[in-house]
Amino acid sequence: MSFIQVKAQEIVGNWKGNLAVQGTEMGIIFNIQKGSDGALSSTMDIPSQGATGIPFDSTVFENNQLTLMFKQGGIKYVASLEETKLKGTFYQSGMELPLEMEKSEKIIPGNPELVSSDKELEELAKLDIGTYAYTVEDYFSKPKARSFQFSPDGKYLSYREKDENSKNHVYVKEVATEKVTKVIEEKEELIRGYGWANNQRLVYVMDKGGNEDYHLFAVNVDGSDSKELTPYDGVKVNILEGLKEDEDHMIISMNKNNPQIFEPYKINIKTGDIEQLFKNEDVSNPIDKYIFDKDGKLRAYSKIRDGVNFDLFYVQADGTFKIIKKLNWKQSFSIINFDYASENPDDAYVVSNLDSDKSQILLYDLKEDKVLKKVYANENYDVSNLSVSRKRGYELDYFSYQGEKRVIIPVSDYYKKMHSRITKEFPDYQYSISAKTDEEDKYLIFLQSDKLYGVYYSYDVLKDEFKLLYNLMPQLKEEDMAEMRPITFKSRDGITLYGYITLPKDAIAGNKVPLIVNPHGGPQGIRDSWGFNSEAQLFASRGYATLQVNFRISGGYGKKFLESGFKQIGRKAMDDVEDGLQYTIDQGWVDKERVAIYGGSHGGYAVLRGLTKTPDLYTCGVDYVGVSNLFTFMHTIPPYWKPYLKIIKEVWYDEDIAEEKAIMEEVSPVYQIDKIKKPLFVVQGANDPRVNIDEADQIVKALRDKGNDVPYMVKYDEGHGFAKEENSVSMYKAMMGFYAKHLGKK
């Protein structure tokens, strides 16, 4: 018995090896543990795929032989222990691969010793005590079904449906027979998006643990012939053109040849065969955007020059490319659609702000490099969206833009009638066309408001009939939800600012309530918009108002407003947030003694900056995947961001300029730790490629070193923001407990 116990002890630990798969070496780690009851358990890490902590169903070690089973992934590993090595076979999907493992130290991202235990976070969550109509799960459990799409011919309706394990599989329903088939099964990794490639085949994308290295997959409508089309480790895929005119192919871009730059490929969605269409050879001045037409021909591309300028090249009659625009990175001139209704093949709709403050839509002759006419503009907001009808010879249907709310401007007679019909049927909601058939005989209409999460209706054009298809969140009753109001106010230096306030019923009744200030991410070019916001509704259910300010540098309000925030991150951009807070106080809505600040990404940075810039303004803060040190942030960006590093420095700050380096030190929260005197909760995804986990570790360690109690949640299967339902729910439960402790009534 003692001999067996010694052997069992030897198997406990971390084992590392390399699995040879299709000529590629893939590192793999087994973490074997022994419980207090003596039972063995184990998990698997695949660092190159960003996957950590995958639990095995069974771990058996008998007669010097180890057997690991992961049923859902169809994985088994059987090996013999020979001193400090495991020699055995890795079985998966009919493959039998030799795998030798050696004992090693477990390496996981960041410093795990800083992370709060599950028990500590559960105790924090328990502080959210009250008689509430809705739970955290009601707001953040993913809908039972979602992502509805018609096949191009309308014979099938696809959608994602959640099972009892919170896995969101893709199903296809044959409309005529109502036969339902599961065509894509979601396993350990999340399906990040899917769509119809043609009438018989769907495509979808997945990454590994949130690392954003997206791979492309395809499957038949009956679930057969499932294939990974881009099995390239460490390579990110972007879909550029669906090619409606060539149902077997699509055009993608990949950073396959160099992780810093992307090149276009035509890919066969049945076989995975790829053909490189163009080379991106100048790494110092790379191509950053490719524009293909509906037939898959490369018509234009944009190339970075000197890190901060862009040259737009357009194809000539002889097949060569000529520069037609020399732009700086602050200017906008982009092709959004070729005008296939025109007899001139060089006519295109472009979005431009070259001769205006607000982006506007122009009809442009690219060969002659001249404006044919201004198609649509708005004096207050950028306009950049339009829709055309392939069925009706590429007739222009409508423009849309984000004002205080989303605005649709019908153009064609057909769409004027359609718009009138929809808005008459659903007068109190924003709508969007989420899908339509090629024949335009069936539409999927998605309705939403500040109080409605989202409802799908199908619209049969021939019958002129709307039919309720699916309510995404039926458990959330509109009458119980809080109102989101657009607001406008002046900054301390006279700039007109916009934003939104979500008010709980207690505030509507005239009482002052606690407030959560929620700066958005980005920050450049991003903005908050009107509509259903799960976070704000959850906060309102607990009695908290939510403030969202579109501070200077936000998008949608013109280039002057955008540029007024350059080199002002953490400074005047934060002043704007503070001025928005003062506006809500002046309106009598909020209790100025109970104000929290919460945000993700740049919003997380704004939390840390707010707690250091104005230490007495906020009661507490929640930092979600936020930057704490501008220097390390710049040094750990993903490789495919490096061509834009000069632009990032133009927007943020450049440490090579002495004056700006001093500003970076001033606005980097990690250097201002002594100013933080209010409670802070930090949340991070371990595999985050944008904001490295070191950003969170730095702030937690620095605050812990000075004796602060800082709850710290890390999820080792997530990246830049939590995508897995169970992780989101646990985060918001802990957050509600944190607010209950520090923001609730004293």
Side-chain angles (χ1 to χ4, degrees), residues 162-216:
K162 184 172 63 173
D163 67 13
E164 64 278 5
N165 297 314
S166 296
K167 296 298 181 183
N168 292 268
H169 314 298
V170 176
Y171 292 83
V172 167
K173 179 180 181 180
E174 189 173 13
V175 175
T177 66
E178 296 195 346
K179 177 185 176 183
V180 175
T181 304
K182 183 197 290 185
V183 296
I184 308 172
E185 183 176 5
E186 185 174 79
K187 296 182 180 178
E188 182 63 27
E189 296 300 340
L190 301 182
I191 299 166
R192 299 287 176 168
Y194 89 95
W196 288 89
N198 56 45
N199 288 318
Q200 296 299 320
R201 201 150 170 83
L202 297 95
V203 293
Y204 59 103
V205 293
M206 296 193 300
D207 67 352
K208 303 294 182 181
N211 66 0
E212 300 185 15
D213 285 338
Y214 300 113
H215 287 209
L216 183 66

Side-chain angles (χ1 to χ4, degrees), residues 194-366:
Y194 89 95
W196 288 89
N198 56 45
N199 288 318
Q200 296 299 320
R201 201 150 170 83
L202 297 95
V203 293
Y204 59 103
V205 293
M206 296 193 300
D207 67 352
K208 303 294 182 181
N211 66 0
E212 300 185 15
D213 285 338
Y214 300 113
H215 287 209
L216 183 66
F217 301 76
V219 64
N220 284 340
V221 70
D222 61 0
S224 64
D225 194 21
S226 178
K227 186 177 183 64
E228 181 175 3
L229 301 176
T230 58
Y232 313 115
D233 197 27
V235 173
K236 180 186 175 90
V237 170
N238 301 301
I239 297 175
L240 300 184
E241 190 70 35
L243 297 184
K244 294 284 289 184
E245 316 303 326
D246 180 357
E247 65 176 26
D248 290 339
H249 295 87
M250 62 188 352
I251 296 174
I252 63 173
S253 67
M254 294 187 287
N255 55 344
K256 184 172 179 287
N257 296 323
N258 186 319
Q260 294 187 37
I261 58 177
F262 289 83
E263 295 173 305
Y265 298 80
K266 178 184 273 191
I267 188 165
N268 187 304
I269 60 169
K270 293 180 178 178
T271 66
D273 292 342
I274 59 173
E275 174 192 353
Q276 187 167 341
L277 300 177
F278 206 75
K279 290 186 177 181
N280 196 357
E281 297 177 307
D282 187 354
V283 179
S284 58
N285 296 290
I287 298 170
D288 79 303
K289 186 176 182 181
Y290 302 90
I291 299 101
F292 289 85
D293 64 18
K294 64 183 178 63
D295 298 313
K297 296 178 181 177
L298 182 62
R299 298 282 297 277
Y301 61 82
S302 172
K303 189 174 183 181
I304 300 174
R305 173 168 42 84
D306 302 327
V308 291
N309 298 304
F310 292 86
D311 294 332
L312 179 63
F313 290 74
Y314 186 65
V315 70
Q316 304 300 298
D318 61 0
T320 61
F321 288 83
K322 174 186 174 183
I323 295 176
I324 62 170
K325 290 291 180 189
K326 285 182 172 288
L327 309 166
N328 67 54
W329 66 275
K330 300 176 184 178
Q331 296 173 309
S332 173
F333 185 91
S334 58
I335 302 166
I336 54 172
N337 216 86
F338 290 100
D339 183 11
Y340 300 116
S342 171
E343 293 181 358
N344 181 6
D346 301 305
D347 286 356
Y349 295 106
V350 303
V351 173
S352 173
N353 66 4
L354 298 186
D355 299 315
S356 59
D357 177 60
K358 308 297 187 293
S359 293
Q360 51 191 347
I361 298 177
L362 309 173
L363 187 61
Y364 205 86
D365 186 323
L366 295 168

Side-chain angles (χ1 to χ4, degrees), residues 336-337 349 361 375-376 383-389 392 394-401 406-419 422 431-436 440 443-445:
I336 54 172
N337 216 86
Y349 295 106
I361 298 177
V375 180
Y376 188 76
V383 180
S384 61
N385 298 313
L386 61 77
S387 178
V388 298
S389 167
R392 288 175 276 111
Y394 298 95
E395 181 179 26
L396 180 59
D397 271 344
Y398 64 84
F399 308 107
S400 67
Y401 65 90
R406 183 169 184 259
V407 179
I408 296 174
I409 310 296
V411 177
S412 68
D413 290 340
Y414 177 94
Y415 202 81
K416 285 178 181 177
K417 182 179 178 182
M418 170 81 75
H419 179 73
I422 296 171
Y431 82 88
S432 58
I433 305 295
S434 63
K436 63 182 178 180
E440 297 184 359
Y443 287 80
L444 284 181
I445 312 294

